């Protein structure tokens, strides 16, 4: 039983061509895209009071993260997919950071924190926005993890292309 599990899990990072992190990156990108769906659903709980453009941020992030996953799937085909991945990483990370900054300064969020609404509305707004910010922070952590794996994959491919894959450090 353990050898079967070991074989199944080892095929995630090792295939006929050698060690690869591509499947892990694609999996993380898809988890990140699903995280954005959950983020949009949570934020909609307070959307009737908050004046942010959450739908736009959610749409940009979901599309960007799905495109990252697709370009990561096609890394082996052409070099341009590496460039696409980098551009999409930059766009999605910039969008996520912009969202966090805008939501922390949102007028309705600040009013809810200062007691400008009824207790029920204030709790709903504050918790929904705080939860959505936590989802964005989780998505940022996943994105930085994907970037680290992406850089490691590029290093592995360069070493393999230059004939250093089975040698130690030079």
């Amino acid at each position: 039983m353990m050898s079967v599990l070991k074989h199944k899990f080892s095929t995630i990072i090792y295939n006929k061509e050698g060690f690869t992190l591509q499947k892990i990156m694609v999996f993380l990108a898809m988890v990140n895209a699903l995280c954005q769906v959950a983020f949009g659903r949570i934020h909609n709980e307070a959307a009737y009071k908050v004046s942010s453009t959450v739908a736009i941020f959610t749409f940009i992030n979901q599309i960007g993260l799905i495109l990252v996953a697709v370009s990561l799937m096609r890394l082996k085909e052409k070099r341009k997919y590496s460039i696409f991945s980098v551009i999409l990483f930059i766009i999605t990370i910039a969008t996520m950071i912009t969202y966090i900054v805008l939501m922390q300064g949102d007028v309705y969020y600040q009013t809810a924190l200062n007691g400008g609404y009824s207790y029920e509305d204030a709790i709903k707004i504050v918790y929904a926005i705080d939860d959505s910010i936590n989802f964005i922070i989780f998505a940022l952590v996943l994105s930085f993890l994907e970037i680290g794996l992406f850089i490691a994959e590029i290093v592995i491919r360069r070493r393999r292309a230059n004939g250093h894959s089975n040698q130690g450090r030079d």
Side-chain angles (χ1 to χ4, degrees):
M1 178 66 176
M2 290 304 286
S3 63
V4 172
L5 287 175
K6 184 179 175 183
H7 176 71
K8 291 291 185 187
F9 286 120
S10 67
T11 57
I12 292 175
I13 58 172
Y14 192 82
N15 59 20
K16 294 176 188 174
E17 298 167 0
F19 185 72
T20 180
L21 299 171
Q22 186 176 6
K23 289 181 184 177
I24 296 172
M25 288 187 293
V26 171
F27 177 74
L28 286 176
M30 294 312 294
V31 167
N32 213 347
L34 290 174
C35 182
Q36 291 301 307
V37 173
F39 150 71
R41 303 251 327 153
I42 284 177
H43 190 89
N44 285 339
E45 293 176 14
Y48 71 98
K49 286 280 188 185
V50 179
S51 66
S52 67
T53 54
V54 175
I56 294 170
F57 285 106
T58 306
F59 180 73
I60 290 171
N61 278 334
Q62 286 173 353
I63 297 300
L65 290 169
I66 290 170
L67 290 175
V68 164
V70 169
S71 64
L72 289 174
M73 280 188 245
R74 302 186 76 176
L75 272 179
K76 294 178 184 174
E77 294 177 17
K78 294 183 181 175
R79 186 181 193 110
K80 70 179 179 179
Y81 290 111
S82 298
I83 296 167
F84 290 154
S85 296
V86 170
I87 291 170
L88 290 168
F89 275 131
I90 290 170
I91 289 171
T92 56
I93 288 173
T95 305
M96 289 183 220
I97 291 172
T98 303
Y99 173 80
I100 291 172
V101 169
L102 288 176
M103 288 315 298
Q104 291 292 328
D106 189 69
V107 173
Y108 295 109
Y109 177 68
Q110 294 297 327
T111 304
L113 285 176
N114 293 327
Y117 296 118
S118 68
Y119 182 73
E120 290 176 0
D121 288 341
I123 291 294
K124 187 181 255 188
I125 291 169
V126 170
Y127 281 136
I129 291 174
D130 285 344
D131 289 345
S132 67
I133 288 173
N134 290 338
F135 266 109
I136 291 292
I137 291 171
F138 179 70
L140 277 172
V141 169
L142 285 179
S143 292
F144 287 125
L145 185 62
E146 287 173 44
I147 290 170
L149 291 172
F150 180 71
I151 292 169
E153 180 72 18
I154 289 173
V155 168
I156 290 168
R157 287 179 187 210
R158 292 200 89 190
R159 286 184 58 84
R160 191 178 299 136
N162 293 328
H164 298 295
S165 63
N166 59 356
Q167 298 174 2
R169 279 182 102 169
D170 295 331

